[in-house]
Amino acid sequence: MDQKATNMDRLRQRLYEIYGPLGEAWLPRFASLAATAAEERTASATPWDERDAVLIAYGDHVRAPGEHPLHTFQEFLARHRFDDLFNVVHLLPFFPHSSDDGFSVIDYTMVDPALGDWDDIRDLGRSFDLMFDLVLNHVSQHSRWFQDYLQGREPYVRYFHEVDPAADLSAVARPRSLPLLTEFATSRGPRHLWTTFSADQVDLNFAEPQVLLEMAELLLQYVRHGARVIRLDAIAYLWKQLGTSCIHLPQTHAVVKFFRELLALAAPRTLLLTETNVPHAENISYFGDGDEAHMVYQFSLPPLVLDAWLNEDARPLVRWLADLAPAPPGTTFFNFTASHDGIGVRPLEGLVSAERFLRLADAIRARGGLISTRHGPDGRDLPYELNITYFDAVTDPGCQDTDLQVRRFLATQALMLALRGIPGVYFSSLVGADNDVAGVEQSGQARRINRRKFPRDELHEALARPASREARVLAGYRRLLATRRRQPAFHPDAEQRALRDVPPWLVAVLRVSRDQRQRILALVNVSGRRHSWEIPADAAFRPARELISDRAWPPARRVELDPYQTLWLESAS
């Protein structure tokens, strides 16, 4: 049996897992869709390497009067040679929307005219591979689909979840401290509909196969517009079944596997990334057996790194890294510390003590951050995410030493960049952005604290001053990214071993290239004090060069690290 026939059989199997016998009747429509969209190019045997790094940004992250923001953004990236540092841009939702900074989509097929048009997207794609969001759990109540639902038109009357408000929903996992159901006036009278994230974001009903077909068409349309990676937003909540938690249900996993098989048929070079801000074991379940998502966010990493730096004690982080199993073959982690959202704390569950967690929350408040909550199983509001820029989160609010603050922040980023997987860097982190308190006050949304948009001329002026925080952070990041992409030991599939028996102030991670010819020991001092440490004899590592500074290193096993210093030591051959 050839590969195409094998993929088609798997597609049939996934449809059966989702819809039972009904899935067979829908197979010809999905097969036709795949055949129409099919690319002639085949999948690469190695879909990623050490040169891969993703820039995460909004289309209007950089603004200039009288210009399409997407054009302004592209010009900014070109002027500062970001194509030397990143080969992928994750362009956060750029569609017409009604709320949530793009994640309440009105029309999935259009570029928001306030940002630009598809030509602007195409121009950006000439310099970078692109990542798009498929916001598939919910749609804006202002969308045509929902408006047709309100009017009782077919097939849209089956596109949304009508729920009896008297139904027992106590088992449902809740990511927000908001009502789960919202009442809407329809042509058939009032109806209560499922709205997981807000009243403006109405959940789609994937039990209706036509909804899956709509999303499959959009997935392949995004591929045609240049997407190398598709991010499946809020995928964990996709399937609803009363009496269950309605999170991570088998049908949800089957949908992700279905999309992967569809891409294998139509666009084998395109990758799926799942966004599931949940505890680690639940999060990595979206790898499946290597047959589900190609990439999974490393959600436990941002809060664990933050905990290590604020306590100057990396033991919980080191334990987690030492126990971290490699991703299944054909998959990899998506590493990050900051994104457009807050820093999720559910991924800390079971990794730090309750006392440390409370200290972490108090430290964020002391730095001007906010704490967003969710409804817990007992109805109480529980912390869900920390809303703060990562620069402000890791720095000391009482310290006036900019050099020290920048070094402290860059140390967190250097660790992230050294880990197995593909790194993602949020635009605001590249310039050391501080909390956008005014944005929160104007919008009433806690997440706006980390979504500052930058006037182009002001940003250019700041970056032109070498002593500015923005210029120092970007220069440090540029050095790290440029160094990283030249090291085979930083390939996403290269071996990784975190050394367990190290002092609390140290993180030590050994990376070994796939051909065993390069060994890098990444060392990070998470404390504000100078320390020395001796490389264990059993590490079979003899330093020869420090890669970040690009200088020879004495072969002695004892290493001195300044406060918040990072070393990428390369072993002698």
Side-chain angles (χ1 to χ4, degrees):
M1 184 181 295
D2 63 22
Q3 188 60 50
K4 183 177 179 181
T6 300
N7 290 136
M8 189 62 67
D9 279 349
R10 290 175 180 164
L11 199 69
R12 176 184 289 106
Q13 177 186 345
R14 301 311 179 201
L15 284 172
Y16 186 86
E17 291 169 0
I18 302 168
Y19 299 115
L22 177 63
E24 184 74 25
W26 284 81
L27 179 62
R29 299 185 66 176
F30 287 105
S32 175
L33 178 65
T36 301
E39 299 176 340
E40 294 183 3
R41 296 167 293 183
T42 58
S44 169
T46 54
W48 40 66
D49 62 29
E50 60 272 15
R51 295 169 295 178
D52 280 308
V54 180
L55 174 63
I56 306 165
Y58 284 100
D60 61 347
H61 236 127
V62 182
R63 296 171 169 175
E67 293 184 5
H68 278 171
L70 281 168
H71 174 76
T72 304
F73 182 61
Q74 181 190 351
E75 291 280 316
F76 179 88
L77 299 184
R79 175 171 174 169
H80 293 280
R81 297 304 308 270
F82 274 38
D83 56 332
D84 289 342
L85 309 178
F86 300 96
N87 63 336
V88 182
V89 171
H90 173 198
L91 204 56
L92 290 158
F94 48 81
F95 317 105
H97 61 277
S98 52
S99 64
D100 199 15
D101 291 333
F103 286 92
S104 185
V105 180
I106 294 174
D107 188 335
Y108 290 97
T109 66
M110 288 182 59
V111 176
D112 187 344
L115 295 176
D117 54 33
W118 282 114
D119 286 340
D120 292 310
I121 304 289
R122 191 175 303 111
D123 288 344
L124 185 64
R126 292 191 176 99
S127 301
F128 301 92
D129 289 335
L130 301 175
M131 183 193 302
F132 296 166
D133 287 274
L134 185 59
V135 184
L136 70 172
N137 177 73
H138 47 262
V139 68
S140 168
Q141 64 168 292
H142 301 281
S143 66
R144 179 181 61 82
W145 294 355
F146 190 67
Q147 292 303 308
D148 283 349
Y149 162 81
L150 294 178
Q151 296 303 316
R153 298 191 181 103
E154 290 285 348
Y156 305 100
V157 288
R158 300 188 300 277
Y159 273 34
F160 302 93
H161 294 274
E162 295 182 359
V163 183
D164 183 346
D168 181 5
L169 301 172
S170 60
V172 176
R174 307 291 295 279
R176 296 285 186 276
S177 294
L178 294 169
L180 183 60
L181 303 181
T182 302
E183 183 178 337
F184 292 93
T186 79
S187 62
R188 302 165 312 286
R191 294 290 190 273
H192 287 81
L193 300 182
W194 205 294
T195 53
T196 297
F197 292 95
S198 78
D200 186 48
Q201 296 164 292
V202 191
D203 288 41
L204 288 161
N205 175 24
F206 278 81
E208 167 53 53
Q210 184 69 33
V211 172
L212 182 63
L213 183 63
E214 296 265 21
M215 285 298 167
E217 289 175 342
L218 289 168
L219 179 82
L220 297 181
Q221 183 180 133
Y222 294 169
V223 172
R224 289 195 296 274
H225 283 298
R228 175 187 170 194
V229 184
I230 306 289
R231 174 184 181 269
L232 301 181
D233 178 65
I235 184 69
Y237 303 93
L238 190 75
W239 198 272
K240 280 74 173 176
Q241 184 176 330
L242 293 182
T244 74
S245 65
C246 299
I247 186 172
H248 313 313
L249 295 187
Q251 295 91 335
T252 296
H253 286 283
V255 167
V256 180
K257 293 178 181 180
F258 166 83
F259 282 142
R260 178 154 175 171
E261 296 300 341
L262 186 68
L263 288 174
L265 281 167
R269 299 201 312 169
T270 303
L271 308 174
L272 290 177
L273 168 64
T274 49
E275 187 256 338
T276 55
N277 193 351
V278 292
H280 182 72
E282 299 173 39
N283 182 41
I284 62 172
S285 70
Y286 286 83
F287 282 136
D289 293 321
D291 58 353
E292 201 164 333
H294 299 91
M295 293 193 290
V296 165
Y297 276 89
Q298 193 69 281
F299 270 113
S300 292
L301 183 63
L304 277 171
V305 168
L306 182 56
D307 169 82
W309 261 251
L310 295 185
N311 287 289
E312 299 193 355
D313 173 10
R315 284 175 293 183
L317 172 61
V318 168
R319 283 195 299 269
W320 178 76
L321 285 171
D323 291 337
L324 184 64
T331 70
T332 193
F333 292 107
F334 186 71
N335 296 321
F336 73 113
T337 58
S339 73
H340 61 289
D341 287 339
I343 302 164
V345 292
R346 281 211 67 209
L348 275 182
E349 290 177 12
L351 301 178
V352 301
S353 67
E355 178 188 1
R356 281 183 76 124
F357 178 79
L358 291 175
R359 284 208 307 270
L360 180 61
D362 288 342
I364 293 305
R365 293 187 184 98
R367 289 161 171 75
L370 304 168
I371 312 293
S372 293
T373 61
R374 65 182 177 91
H375 280 320
D378 59 359
R380 291 185 302 140
D381 285 344
L382 302 173
Y384 177 71
E385 69 179 14
L386 313 175
N387 300 113
I388 190 169
T389 70
Y390 214 79
F391 187 92
D392 275 358
V394 300
T395 53
D396 182 350
C399 178
Q400 301 301 313
D401 185 340
T402 302
D403 279 335
L404 182 64
Q405 299 285 50
V406 169
R407 186 162 68 247
R408 181 171 174 160
F409 171 72
L410 286 173
T412 67
Q413 307 308 289
L415 175 61
M416 180 271 290
L417 292 172
L419 298 179
R420 180 169 47 202
I422 294 175
V425 181
Y426 186 45
F427 184 87
S428 294
S429 290
L430 280 176
V431 293
D434 55 6
N435 292 331
D436 187 5
V437 177
V440 175
E441 292 174 348
Q442 292 167 6
S443 67
Q445 299 176 27
R447 283 180 167 178
R448 285 283 178 90
I449 203 168
N450 191 32
R451 297 179 178 180
R452 183 191 301 275
K453 308 302 170 60
F454 300 90
R456 179 191 60 194
D457 293 344
E458 290 182 20
L459 194 52
H460 282 326
E461 191 275 333
L463 293 174
R465 290 185 286 111
S468 72
R469 181 185 70 245
E470 294 87 349
R472 294 182 193 187
V473 171
L474 182 56
Y477 235 129
R478 185 178 297 277
R479 185 164 55 251
L480 291 169
L481 286 163
T483 302
R484 181 190 186 279
R485 68 186 305 166
R486 297 193 297 267
Q487 315 309 324
F490 285 153
H491 189 287
D493 298 337
E495 178 186 342
Q496 172 176 302
R497 179 164 68 94
L499 278 60
R500 290 182 184 269
D501 188 18
V502 295
W505 55 268
L506 180 65
V507 181
V509 177
L510 180 65
R511 300 294 309 278
V512 182
S513 63
R514 294 180 299 163
D515 63 5
Q516 305 292 306
R517 298 176 68 177
Q518 186 187 43
R519 297 164 65 83
I520 296 174
L521 184 62
L523 303 177
V524 188
N525 180 359
V526 307
S527 80
R529 294 173 297 280
R530 181 179 174 85
H531 291 284
S532 64
W533 176 71
E534 186 164 326
I535 300 173
D538 63 5
F541 191 93
R542 185 164 60 90
R545 190 160 202 85
E546 204 289 309
L547 298 172
I548 299 172
S549 60
D550 192 24
R551 59 192 174 98
W553 195 264
R557 306 197 70 81
R558 182 157 292 278
V559 179
E560 301 285 336
L561 288 101
D562 289 330
Y564 309 116
Q565 186 176 10
T566 297
L567 298 173
W568 288 348
L569 297 176
E570 184 179 40
S571 184
S573 300

